[in-house]
Amino acid sequence: MKITKFSFFLLLTTLICVAGWVTGRNPLQGWKGGQRATRGCPFDKAICDDYRRYISNLSPGERSGVADVEIQFYEDGRGQHAVTIMVTHNNRNRVLVFIHHANNKRIKVKKYTESWYAA
């Protein structure tokens, strides 16, 4: 079977799109919560200030791709808190996950691409 350049390009594009759809892995599986920032930040002021400061330091294009409806808050039942922020920019939905220890200090940031989309 002869593969033309167009067929190869089409196959490669399909594989990249599928790979983009499955790259997202939720590091907060099993955590409780999901309240969105449209209802306010339910955590200590230090956590709220931390994620807001991070957003303010994003590039203007990324910052414009963040909406309160895409910011969620979680708890793990052991005192840890997490904030997820979806950034929609450059044809992808990237998720930032901030995990805070019980003392409200950020201990981890995870970033992953949840999905790609066509413009």
Side-chain angles (χ1 to χ4, degrees), residues 44-88:
D44 186 86
K45 183 179 181 326
I47 294 174
C48 302
D49 290 346
D50 180 57
Y51 88 80
R52 289 177 183 138
R53 186 173 33 258
Y54 191 94
I55 291 171
S56 72
N57 288 322
L58 292 172
S59 72
E62 290 176 315
R63 210 173 27 249
S64 69
V66 176
D68 281 349
V69 71
E70 297 297 347
I71 300 172
Q72 294 181 271
F73 306 98
Y74 297 87
E75 296 179 286
D76 73 347
R78 296 177 310 192
Q80 292 190 114
H81 298 95
V83 179
T84 62
I85 303 168
M86 182 179 294
V87 179
T88 301

